[in-house]
Amino acid sequence: SGHHNRSRPTPNADPGRSRKNLLLLGSGDPESDVRQRIDSSGVKVRKNGVLAVEVFMSASPEWFRPDHPSRAGEFDPDKIEKFNKKALEWAKDYFGPENVVAATCHLDESTPHIHAVIVPIDNTPRKKGPQLRLNARKWLGDSKKLSSMQDSFASVMSVFGLERGIKGSKAKHTTVRSFYGVLNSPTPVV
C-alpha cells in the first residue's frame, strides 16, 4: 500500500513526478479496499488464506515513448490512457470485476506501469464446502497458470502491436535495492 500511494520512500521514483500518478480504481488505500471486498463478500478467511495479490502490468519503454525510448519518465499521454483502459479491462475479465479492488498507474518511474490489487475470491461451483472462497491458486497456482496469464494479457494488448515477452526465459529478477547497490558501487580502476 505504501508503494502504491507513495507514503513510503521509493528510491527509483521521481518525487517531483509523483503527483502525475493516476488512481485508476479504488479509494487510494489498497489495504482498506481489500478488507472491504472480503467483508462485503462474506467469504471465510482461513488462517493461511491469501487475502490479495498484486499484478504488475507494463510494456517496453519504447512503446510508451517511441520517439525517445531512452528518456526515462517521459511518455505519450494518449498511449497511457489507452494502455490503462485496456489493462484494467483485462484484469477485470481475467479475475472477475468485483475482485479487482485497486489499481494505480505510476508515471513517476522510468517506465509507466500499473499495480492492480486482486482479492482472489473464487465462486466456481463446488460439490462440497462454501461456494465463495479465497483461492489464489485458481489463477496463480503454478508456472503453467502464470504463463497462461501472461499469454492472456499479451493477447489482449496485441491490439497495440505489443508482443509477449520470451516464454520460458531464464532471466532472474533483480531487486531495486540490488540494482541500485551495483549502480552506486565504485567502478574499479583498471
Side-chain angles (χ1 to χ4, degrees):
S1 179
H3 179 80
H4 284 243
N5 58 28
R6 297 300 194 237
S7 62
R8 68 177 173 136
T10 305
N12 57 317
D14 178 351
R17 293 179 190 227
S18 292
R19 70 188 185 316
K20 293 182 179 186
N21 290 344
L22 304 170
L23 179 63
L24 304 176
L25 183 67
S27 67
D29 180 1
E31 189 175 339
S32 173
D33 297 333
V34 167
R35 181 56 51 204
Q36 183 178 353
R37 169 69 177 127
I38 290 171
D39 292 347
S40 69
S41 74
V43 71
K44 182 181 176 187
V45 177
R46 295 181 322 274
K47 185 173 153 181
N48 66 342
V50 174
L51 303 180
V53 293
E54 181 179 41
V55 176
F56 179 93
M57 297 173 276
S58 191
S60 66
E62 295 81 12
W63 186 79
F64 286 110
R65 48 181 180 268
D67 297 332
H68 306 285
S70 64
R71 290 191 187 165
E74 291 188 13
F75 50 84
D76 177 336
D78 185 49
K79 285 191 170 196
I80 294 293
E81 186 177 334
K82 289 176 181 175
F83 182 87
N84 288 346
K85 182 179 180 201
K86 193 58 119 173
L88 213 48
E89 284 175 9
W90 170 82
K92 289 178 178 183
D93 286 345
Y94 196 82
F95 295 101
E98 65 284 345
N99 288 341
V100 183
V101 299
T104 304
C105 177
H106 285 162
L107 300 173
D108 59 353
E109 295 181 49
S110 62
T111 301
H113 59 275
I114 298 171
H115 293 274
V117 178
I118 316 299
V119 178
I121 296 177
D122 180 7
N123 65 357
T124 305
R126 301 172 64 187
K127 292 179 183 176
K128 184 174 137 183
Q131 173 76 23
L132 290 179
R133 66 197 183 288
L134 288 169
N135 185 11
R137 191 176 306 140
K138 174 182 177 176
W139 293 280
L140 312 171
D142 58 26
S143 60
K144 288 179 183 176
K145 287 184 180 182
L146 293 171
S147 182
S148 176
M149 181 175 63
Q150 291 172 343
D151 291 343
S152 172
F153 182 70
S155 175
V156 167
M157 301 311 270
S158 68
V159 298
F160 301 129
L162 293 170
E163 296 177 10
R164 187 195 191 290
I166 300 167
K167 266 189 171 188
S169 170
K170 301 296 180 209
K172 300 288 182 198
H173 175 72
T174 302
T175 65
V176 171
R177 180 177 296 196
S178 297
F179 175 78
Y180 279 101
V182 170
L183 190 65
N184 293 324
S185 65
T187 305
V189 178
V190 189

